[in-house]
Amino acid sequence: MVVRYRGITRFNHWITAACMIALLLTGAAFFHPSLFWLSKLFGGGQMTRWIHPWIGVLLFFSFLGLFLQMWHLNLPRREDLQWSMQIGDVLQGKEENLPELGKYNAGQKGVFWGMSGLILLLIVTGIMIWEQYFPFLIPIPLRRIAVVAHAAAALGCFFIFVAHVYAAIWTRGTIPAMTRGTVTGGWAFRHHRKWLRELAKRPHEAAAPAAPPPATKSSPD
């Protein structure tokens, strides 16, 4: 087995995911009257309105932990352009036609930077409309714009979140990376060969304890 994520990374990821789900549900409760029933999941309307911004603060700092760990691994590379131009091969599972990739492909990098920008927008606009603590921070016309921007950013997060979950399920062998922290050598070789080669140069970081050596082309997913 190959170590893909450390414990602190997985902790950050699942806290972020839980916050994202809670924010989407609590936010949806106030987005449209027909969805107000969702507030019952959190103890009623007043409680839902109170915890929503605080969960947002927790999401911001949890994602900040992920960002500090991952930003340098998500910088664009030359192979990302080729990967994107061959999206047809990606969808058909013809990964032997794709360039060797580092730890993340262009799609994963899109999720990372998309979430980074949207969460930053959410925390800024969220503070602008947080009347309990910042009632006079900005004028009302600007606050109205912030409300619209906040809702649009939340909607963008929802679509990226769904795409992220779908991709994790669609790419077999991905889920254990965020539950156990490891992937098989075959998975790493097939999807992120360049990253695996880099790990092979640092064997003390690559393999989980009591695991066979990574990276054999014939290894199953």
Side-chain angles (χ1 to χ4, degrees):
M1 303 299 285
V2 181
V3 177
R4 185 158 173 83
Y5 294 114
R6 298 176 299 162
I8 183 64
T9 306
R10 303 200 304 279
F11 177 76
N12 265 154
H13 174 269
W14 291 116
I15 291 294
T16 301
C19 289
M20 185 61 66
I21 293 171
L23 284 170
L24 289 173
L25 291 174
T26 54
F30 298 113
F31 189 77
H32 192 275
S34 64
L35 298 174
F36 185 73
W37 62 270
L38 289 171
S39 64
K40 295 180 180 178
L41 300 174
F42 303 91
Q46 288 189 339
M47 178 61 74
T48 302
R49 188 178 294 281
W50 182 78
I51 64 173
H52 180 83
W54 284 111
I55 298 174
V57 172
L58 178 59
L59 169 74
F60 173 77
F61 283 106
S62 179
F63 188 82
L64 180 62
L66 278 179
F67 183 88
L68 294 176
Q69 296 174 62
M70 295 181 169
W71 72 268
H72 60 290
L73 296 170
N74 281 279
L75 293 175
R77 305 292 181 190
R78 181 178 301 175
E79 57 267 24
D80 294 329
L81 178 60
Q82 185 179 349
W83 186 92
S84 300
M85 294 175 67
Q86 293 181 243
I87 191 66
D89 287 329
V90 175
L91 296 177
Q92 295 177 51
K94 298 178 180 179
E95 302 210 25
E96 65 276 10
N97 298 335
L98 300 173
E100 293 191 359
L101 300 175
K103 191 167 186 176
Y104 301 109
N105 60 41
Q108 292 168 313
K109 291 178 180 180
V111 169
F112 177 82
W113 290 111
M115 278 295 190
S116 298
L118 289 173
I119 288 175
L120 181 60
L121 181 59
L122 282 173
I123 192 68
V124 171
T125 55
I127 290 174
M128 291 170 69
I129 62 178
W130 198 351
E131 294 187 12
Q132 181 178 1
Y133 293 104
F134 310 103
F136 307 111
L137 183 64
I138 58 172
I140 291 178
L142 190 56
R143 190 180 304 169
R144 291 171 177 164
I145 296 175
V147 170
V148 175
H150 194 79
L155 196 60
C157 282
F158 170 75
F159 287 120
I160 293 179
F161 182 79
V162 171
H164 176 59
V165 172
Y166 178 79
I169 296 173
W170 181 67
T171 306
R172 190 177 59 175
T174 299
I175 299 296
M178 270 301 171
T179 53
R180 297 195 297 264
T182 59
V183 294
T184 65
W187 186 96
F189 186 88
R190 180 177 181 182
H191 300 294
H192 301 278
R193 197 173 306 169
K194 184 177 180 180
W195 168 66
L196 184 60
R197 294 189 193 284
E198 293 171 354
L199 283 183
K201 299 175 183 177
R202 297 172 290 164
H204 61 288
E205 297 181 17
T216 58
K217 191 170 184 177
S218 58
S219 298
D221 262 345

